[in-house]
Amino acid sequence: MQLYSFEESGNSYKVRLLCALLGVAPELRNVSLLDDEQHQPPFIDFNPRGEVPVLVDGELVLRDSSAILLYIAGKHGNGLWWPADVARQAKVMEWLAFAASWVQYGVFTARALVSFGIPANGLPADFQGEALAAAHIRARRSLEILETELATQAWLALGRPTIADIAVFPYIALAPMGEVSLTPYPAVRAWIDRIKQLPGFVSMPGLEDPMYRRA
Amino acid sequence: MQLYSFEESGNSYKVRLLCALLGVAPELRNVSLLDDEQHQPPFIDFNPRGEVPVLVDGELVLRDSSAILLYIAGKHGNGLWWPADVARQAKVMEWLAFAASWVQYGVFTARALVSFGIPANGLPADFQGEALAAAHIRARRSLEILETELATQAWLALGRPTIADIAVFPYIALAPMGEVSLTPYPAVRAWIDRIKQLPGFVSMPGLEDPMYRRA
């Protein structure tokens, strides 16, 4: 299994984190987003979306973090991290969709603009002030939604850690890199701490020092 | 089974379409997005995301269109529309994520701005020109990605219709309502026609007349 990944990509990190928690060790292949390798051959030829991560397992090529999480959890997670029952799968799916929409276009975008100075998601370069304001609105709304859920439950779905938590966790925990404070959201912070205490947990740049890119 | 839905919501339509194709008939409950009912009690209390559709099946409440598609297809689709094998599930998941990200923040947003005049996804009202420009960039990029895929395959995943197609179809087919032309994308248009010819297909406002809201 080869995982095409970038160290500072939260979407790549989701997969590395799940692999670490499950004791799975894919071969890592670096794709430098800072050199825009994801938009050039050879990478763009096998992922036209120009996004990391990509997983290659024999003939199978998977080009989206949530698809890769599902596959690895389904194969190696003993039915715990991705369940077999469709009602339970749907409860996890609610959060995979949340990660791809609310999280990606909120805290993800704010971090890309503030800490990497890149106009995320195809936005023109002269548009960053407004883009950041919009990302901050969605970021705070997404944190309010999470705070409401996590005030009454320890994990996002099924009462245990699943790929729902893994999909939502990185960019939420990295929110301070995009100038979004987690201070007003105690239940979210407690959930972040629970994830960090899972056996096998690995970290990524920015999780402990949100300012490292602006030092 | 009760489906909370709005006639002109493409995300609600995805579920109604799958139900029609599978011969499933949930009780429909209307949530008027034009009256902002999705952000007020009683609806907001059981979906803090303020989004339709929501499915209620006994004790189970599902608050995202892709989660609902997965559940209904898994229960009623004979393993065809949502497969049991995790590698195949992951291939479908690639497109559920694409629908929640590229489609939602491209053609979806353009349509919301142009045809409904609503600042989509929490954007401030004085921001609509730039928001439309950004949505158009992503809309065209997402259509190029789809065109590349559909130039060599009839369906998005597994060589047959699945919930991948149902999740991506509505807002792509409604793109002209957001002033995004489908003319440059013949493979996408052929795929739209194949979906429209599926036995049991039902339509929604705007699919045949993109100008109806601006007449």
Side-chain angles (χ1 to χ4, degrees):
Chain A
M1 238 171 22
Q2 294 85 43
L3 178 65
Y4 291 79
S5 159
F6 179 62
E7 190 186 18
E8 294 187 73
S9 148
N11 281 319
S12 297
Y13 168 63
K14 293 173 189 180
V15 177
R16 293 199 309 274
L17 175 56
L18 181 68
C19 286
L21 295 171
L22 297 183
V24 175
E27 296 164 40
L28 290 185
R29 304 276 168 89
N30 189 59
V31 181
S32 174
L33 304 197
L34 300 180
D35 298 323
D36 204 40
E37 286 181 6
Q38 78 276 23
H39 292 123
Q40 297 166 43
F43 188 81
I44 195 72
D45 294 332
F46 81 118
N47 185 7
R49 299 182 198 179
E51 296 169 331
V52 287
V54 165
L55 186 79
V56 179
D57 191 9
E59 296 290 301
L60 183 69
V61 179
L62 293 174
R63 301 160 301 176
D64 175 87
S65 63
S66 53
I68 299 171
L69 291 177
L70 186 164
Y71 177 68
I72 291 174
K75 267 188 89 171
H76 301 284
N78 293 318
L80 292 172
W81 293 80
W82 174 248
D85 169 72
V86 292
R88 291 192 178 90
Q89 286 177 347
K91 291 307 290 180
V92 173
M93 184 67 222
E94 289 187 329
W95 295 103
L96 301 183
F98 186 81
S101 56
W102 284 88
V103 174
Q104 192 78 8
Y105 288 87
V107 285
F108 171 101
T109 300
R111 173 177 176 263
L113 289 163
V114 170
S115 282
F116 292 82
I118 45 174
N121 304 311
L123 297 172
D126 59 355
F127 184 63
Q128 297 198 23
E130 293 86 348
L132 184 58
H136 278 165
I137 290 170
R138 284 197 288 261
R140 285 189 287 265
R141 187 74 198 97
S142 70
L143 282 159
E144 289 163 10
I145 291 169
L146 284 169
E147 184 71 13
T148 302
E149 297 280 336
L150 292 165
T152 58
Q153 58 196 56
W155 305 101
L156 291 177
L158 312 186
R160 63 172 187 258
T162 67
I163 59 171
D165 303 286
I166 304 300
V168 175
F169 164 73
Y171 291 110
I172 293 295
L174 293 166
M177 283 185 74
E179 293 174 349
V180 178
S181 172
L182 295 174
T183 305
Y185 311 104
V188 171
R189 286 186 284 110
W191 166 76
I192 289 171
D193 287 340
R194 278 192 293 278
I195 292 174
K196 288 182 177 176
Q197 282 155 31
L198 289 171
F201 179 84
V202 292
S203 192
M204 74 166 275
L207 274 186
E208 306 306 328
D209 177 12
M211 293 300 287
Y212 84 104
R213 272 232 158 242
R214 286 176 287 162
Chain B
M1 234 168 31
Q2 295 85 46
L3 178 66
Y4 291 78
S5 157
F6 179 62
E7 189 186 20
E8 294 185 75
S9 148
N11 282 319
S12 297
Y13 167 63
K14 294 173 188 178
V15 179
R16 294 199 308 275
L17 174 56
L18 180 68
C19 286
L21 295 172
L22 297 183
V24 175
E27 297 165 38
L28 289 186
R29 303 276 169 90
N30 190 58
V31 180
S32 174
L33 303 197
L34 300 180
D35 298 323
D36 203 39
E37 286 181 6
Q38 79 276 23
H39 291 124
Q40 297 167 44
F43 187 81
I44 194 71
D45 294 332
F46 82 119
N47 185 10
R49 299 184 198 177
E51 297 170 331
V52 288
V54 165
L55 186 78
V56 179
D57 190 11
E59 295 291 299
L60 182 69
V61 179
L62 293 174
R63 299 160 303 177
D64 174 87
S65 63
S66 52
I68 299 170
L69 291 178
L70 186 166
Y71 178 69
I72 291 174
K75 267 187 88 171
H76 301 286
N78 293 317
L80 293 172
W81 293 79
W82 173 248
D85 169 72
V86 292
R88 291 193 178 90
Q89 286 177 348
K91 292 306 290 179
V92 174
M93 184 68 222
E94 288 188 329
W95 295 103
L96 301 183
F98 186 81
S101 56
W102 284 88
V103 173
Q104 193 78 6
Y105 288 87
V107 286
F108 171 100
T109 300
R111 172 176 176 263
L113 290 162
V114 170
S115 281
F116 292 84
I118 45 172
N121 304 312
L123 298 172
D126 59 356
F127 184 61
Q128 297 199 21
E130 293 86 349
L132 184 58
H136 277 166
I137 289 170
R138 285 198 287 263
R140 285 189 286 266
R141 187 74 197 98
S142 70
L143 282 159
E144 289 162 11
I145 291 169
L146 284 170
E147 184 71 13
T148 302
E149 296 280 336
L150 292 166
T152 57
Q153 58 196 57
W155 305 100
L156 291 177
L158 311 187
R160 63 172 188 258
T162 67
I163 59 171
D165 303 286
I166 305 299
V168 175
F169 164 74
Y171 291 110
I172 293 295
L174 292 166
M177 284 185 74
E179 293 174 351
V180 177
S181 172
L182 295 174
T183 305
Y185 311 105
V188 172
R189 286 186 283 110
W191 167 77
I192 289 171
D193 288 342
R194 279 191 291 279
I195 292 174
K196 288 182 177 176
Q197 281 155 31
L198 289 170
F201 179 85
V202 292
S203 192
M204 74 166 276
L207 275 186
E208 304 307 328
D209 177 12
M211 294 299 288
Y212 84 104
R213 274 234 157 238
R214 288 177 285 162

